[in-house]
Amino acid sequence: MSTQSHPKGLYLLFVTEMWERFSYYGMRAIFTLYMIKALLFDKAHASDIYGTYTGLVYLTPLVGGYIADRYWGNRRSILAGGVLMALGQFMLFFSGSLHETNVVAASWLLYGGLGMLIAGNGLFKPNISSMVGQLYAPGDKRVDSAFTIFYMGINAGSLFAPLVCGSLGDTGNPSDFKWGFMAAGCGMLLSLVIFSLFKNKYLVTPEGKPIGMAPKRHHESGEKVVHAPLTGIEKQRLAVILIVSAFVIFFWSAFEQAGASLTFFAEEQTNRNLLGYTVPASFFQSINPISVVLFAPIFAWIWTKLGNKGMEPSSPAKMALGLFFLAIGYLVIAFGVDGLAPGVKVSMLWLVSLYMLHTFGELSLSPIGLSLVVKLSPARFTSLMMGIWFLSNAAANKFAGTLSELYPDPAKPVPHFLGYAVNNLHDFFMLFVFMAGASSLILFALSSVLKKMMHGRQ
């Protein structure tokens, strides 16, 4: 993966996204813990709020992509979204400041802050991603590696976020959660400042023209600009995005247990003693981004080597492999907790192994999916299609919250999902093995058909 050959604008987007992701994942690392420890919500209610929030975070990019394509452009949308998200994080700070004296006000500030974060993310997320592709000429083969570099920026931010926000907020004292939210807000402000200072200098096409500007809605003659109708090939390519998006739902609904049920597991049934130090449960969410930063260059090298030999799998096949790695990760931890009695704690190596395998799955699926959207979408619909891509993440994250509510609690009745009884942790984790494994096999079977529908844009 050569980094020197890429435009400087890629690294500006890298750093901007890095600090925005620091903000998001820092907040996420302590979010459910704040609800159950400070606001005293039960785990099922906290999981429901978590799923609703993360689902809406990925739903609003559909609106944000439309606004950018039709009215504001990428740049203005990113700035507006960043301001809203910073305000949202500071509202969570004030919620954490009031939870002891006025829990009602603290709860309303929590919901208000979440609303700001949801709206801001809708404007920010699809537009920062679609700008990566605009830095390159059509057909440029560096786009896949560009998204891998960009994806490392995402994970660089999410690597440090749980460590910083967890150290400040997850101290054992519920009153300290507010400092984690404050750090997340400062990260968002830093993202905004960096983007504002350097956007005009570096966000340009290979010919030096600015990208991400508001679209011209009228010709010089005064006539309205009308989007050209889709061709048959364009329709088939867009269909591939929609089909693959449906499978992505099963990936992220299992992967995003990191912020809910897997955090409960780390808190309650993982031996977190390391050389006399008790590792905060929130710290485990850094394993995934650390692994991404370590292994992303290796995955990029593997795809390049296979490509040179004419053996590189198609994008849908890579994404099927991602689902397979996800299933194996849950199979490993299901084995580790088989027969485990409530209250008994297991080695943290089981959770570390799960997150490592999930990282392999993520690298096979997520940056490949972002690149696929850019490669298959007509330029006039790129931000909108990026929003539709994130729509699958919205459904997945809401589904993740629903599935997290199945986390077994000895004090409550046995939960069921479509007739499947979740009697213990082994049953809970095996549910994800079945779901991700079946999705992987079906997508593998469809990958050759989808490859033909892509018409050469692999």
Side-chain angles (χ1 to χ4, degrees):
M1 182 176 61
S2 173
T3 58
Q4 294 181 348
S5 60
H6 290 281
K8 293 180 180 179
L10 175 63
Y11 304 105
L12 172 58
L13 297 177
F14 175 107
V15 174
T16 301
E17 178 75 348
M18 179 183 75
W19 283 109
E20 185 276 329
R21 290 291 88 184
F22 172 91
S23 175
Y24 176 82
Y25 283 103
M27 173 270 190
R28 195 189 77 162
I30 60 176
F31 180 35
T32 53
L33 295 173
Y34 171 64
M35 288 190 288
I36 63 176
K37 289 185 172 184
L39 298 181
L40 304 180
F41 294 170
D42 64 32
K43 288 197 288 289
H45 185 44
S47 294
D48 182 52
I49 293 173
Y50 171 82
T52 300
Y53 162 65
T54 54
L56 289 173
V57 156
Y58 287 102
L59 176 63
T60 50
L62 182 63
V63 179
Y66 176 81
I67 290 172
D69 282 342
R70 191 71 188 270
Y71 302 107
W72 285 4
N74 302 124
R75 298 183 184 211
R76 190 184 300 175
S77 299
I78 288 169
L79 290 170
V83 169
L84 288 174
M85 286 191 285
L87 289 173
Q89 297 286 15
F90 292 125
M91 288 180 74
L92 294 181
F93 166 77
F94 288 115
S95 172
S97 302
L98 292 175
H99 81 92
E100 287 185 303
T101 57
N102 193 334
V103 69
V104 174
S107 298
W108 280 111
L109 281 167
L110 171 74
Y111 298 135
L114 295 180
M116 289 285 190
L117 290 168
I118 289 164
N121 190 82
L123 290 167
F124 190 100
K125 194 164 187 66
N127 292 294
I128 195 88
S129 299
S130 62
M131 286 187 84
V132 174
Q134 296 176 45
L135 294 167
Y136 300 84
D140 193 320
K141 295 189 176 183
R142 295 176 297 168
V143 173
D144 271 3
S145 63
F147 271 101
T148 303
I149 294 170
F150 178 70
Y151 204 70
M152 289 175 67
I154 294 173
N155 284 276
S158 57
L159 187 163
F160 295 108
L163 302 178
V164 174
C165 297
S167 295
L168 294 172
D170 185 17
T171 63
N173 180 1
S175 295
D176 287 338
F177 281 113
K178 62 179 178 289
W179 300 118
F181 296 134
M182 171 63 79
C186 291
M188 191 64 245
L189 286 180
L190 186 56
S191 174
L192 276 172
V193 169
I194 292 170
F195 184 79
S196 298
L197 288 176
F198 299 106
K199 66 182 188 306
N200 293 333
K201 184 175 182 180
Y202 295 120
L203 296 181
V204 295
T205 66
E207 297 77 30
K209 297 180 180 179
I211 62 172
M213 306 302 288
K216 294 180 180 179
R217 301 188 61 206
H218 296 79
H219 291 298
E220 291 182 3
S221 63
E223 295 178 0
K224 278 192 173 182
V225 174
V226 180
H227 283 323
L230 292 168
T231 66
I233 289 178
E234 286 176 335
K235 288 179 180 178
Q236 288 194 30
R237 287 172 175 164
L238 293 181
V240 172
I241 296 175
L242 297 176
I243 293 168
V244 172
S245 296
F247 286 92
V248 167
I249 293 173
F250 296 101
F251 180 89
W252 291 117
S253 62
F255 186 92
E256 288 297 334
Q257 295 301 310
S261 65
L262 291 176
T263 296
F264 302 151
F265 181 76
E267 174 73 19
E268 298 173 353
Q269 294 208 244
T270 299
N271 182 356
R272 294 180 281 118
N273 186 283
L274 182 64
L275 302 177
Y277 171 70
T278 301
V279 179
S282 55
F283 276 26
F284 285 88
Q285 293 187 44
S286 282
I287 298 171
N288 168 248
I290 290 171
S291 301
V292 167
V293 172
L294 290 175
F295 290 104
I298 297 174
F299 270 73
W301 176 81
I302 291 172
W303 302 140
T304 301
K305 281 292 184 182
L306 291 174
N308 292 337
K309 295 179 179 180
M311 299 171 59
E312 184 177 7
S314 66
S315 294
K318 291 178 184 176
M319 298 171 81
L321 181 64
L323 281 159
F324 178 76
F325 277 124
L326 186 77
I328 296 299
Y330 275 111
L331 184 63
V332 167
I333 202 165
F335 176 80
V337 301
D338 192 17
L340 186 71
V344 176
K345 297 188 176 184
V346 299
S347 168
M348 66 178 73
L349 290 177
W350 293 108
L351 205 50
V352 171
S353 299
L354 173 140
Y355 280 127
M356 288 277 290
L357 286 161
H358 283 191
T359 297
F360 297 160
E362 183 183 9
L363 287 170
S364 300
L365 182 140
S366 191
I368 303 302
L370 292 173
S371 179
L372 187 71
V373 173
V374 171
K375 287 187 290 188
L376 298 184
S377 300
R380 60 194 184 278
F381 292 131
T382 302
S383 294
L384 178 61
M385 291 309 299
M386 195 64 76
I388 290 175
W389 174 257
F390 288 126
L391 184 61
S392 66
N393 294 57
N397 278 272
K398 178 57 181 173
F399 190 30
T402 300
L403 293 172
S404 182
E405 292 181 51
L406 302 174
Y407 189 80
D409 186 339
K412 293 186 177 181
V414 174
H416 289 75
F417 180 75
L418 299 177
Y420 178 82
V422 183
N423 295 291
N424 48 46
L425 284 170
H426 177 266
D427 292 345
F428 179 73
F429 292 131
M430 285 302 297
L431 175 63
F432 297 103
V433 175
F434 299 142
M435 184 176 71
S439 301
S440 174
L441 293 175
I442 295 170
L443 186 53
F444 267 125
L446 291 174
S447 60
S448 60
V449 175
L450 295 175
K451 182 178 180 180
K452 292 178 182 177
M453 295 171 64
M454 292 161 66
H455 294 279
R457 295 191 179 176
Q458 309 306 324

